[in-house]
């Protein structure tokens, strides 16, 4: 059984993330979506909330499991029996950092390879931070986030304005 892991901040999960999850879940037997902490980001949602939001939008994908990890990705992947990291690439600017991370993760865990899926063209410009920025100016975000989580997102934005 081939298990892949898709790590990220997912603050919150966007239609771009969901597109990668759907495509990766059809390639692998099992996909773990892993919510991670990023010391450089101040998240809008707690890790538990982000896990819950992703679970709500992936309920139609029986081979997808959503977990939080505060550990090193290479170690968490080993513990969970994952042999592939899945990453989404939006533009060349994503590539340099992702290339470096792929090499580091392989060095730390030689049983782990990284596979890149290119973003679908309609999601190439989409990031969680861009959606947050648009929402603060009350722009229509219905094309960017899964509809099930828009009320949670709008409620959080209005608390923070
Ligand atoms: P961001 O905060 O920029 O959305 P994340 O850390 O949540 O980033 O992203 C997790 C993974 O998802 C990364 O591999 C990132 O490149 C990928 N990703 C994010 N947005 C998209 C998108 N619109 N299309 C494809 N991949 C994406």
């Amino acid at each position: 059984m081939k298990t892949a892991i898709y790590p990220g901040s997912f603050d919150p999960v966007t239609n771009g993330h969901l597109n990668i999850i759907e495509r990766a879940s059809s390639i692998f037997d099992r996909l773990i979506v892993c919510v991670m902490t990023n010391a450089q980001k101040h998240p809008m949602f707690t890790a538990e909330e982000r896990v819950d939001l992703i679970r709500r939008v992936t309920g139609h994908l029986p081979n997808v499991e959503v977990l939080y990890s505060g550990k090193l990705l290479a170690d968490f992947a080993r513990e969970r029996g994952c042999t592939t990291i899945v990453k989404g690439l939006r533009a060349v600017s994503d590539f340099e950092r992702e290339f470096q991370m792929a090499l580091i993760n392989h060095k730390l865990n030689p049983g782990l390879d990284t596979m890149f899926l290119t973003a679908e063209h309609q999601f190439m410009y989409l990031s969680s931070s861009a959606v947050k920025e648009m929402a603060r100016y009350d722009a229509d975000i219905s094309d960017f986030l899964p509809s099930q989580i828009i009320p949670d997102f709008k409620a959080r934005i209005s608390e923070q304005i």
Side-chain angles (χ1 to χ4, degrees), residues 142-161:
S142 52
D143 283 344
F144 309 137
L145 294 186
S147 56
Q148 305 96 304
I149 71 163
I150 288 181
D152 305 70
F153 178 70
K154 285 192 169 165
R156 186 58 52 93
I157 286 280
S158 60
E159 284 167 20
Q160 293 188 348
I161 286 177

Side-chain angles (χ1 to χ4, degrees), residues 6-17 19-20 23 38 41 86-90 94 98 116-120 122-129 132:
Y6 176 39
S9 324
F10 305 107
D11 185 45
V13 60
T14 67
N15 284 337
H17 294 131
N19 177 259
I20 297 287
R23 288 158 65 202
N38 180 337
K41 292 184 184 174
V86 171
K87 288 288 190 135
L89 284 183
R90 284 163 288 194
D94 277 346
E98 295 296 353
F116 296 103
L117 291 179
T118 50
E120 297 251 20
Q122 69 269 41
F123 303 125
M124 274 191 66
Y125 55 84
L126 191 53
S127 69
S128 299
S129 46
K132 285 182 262 193

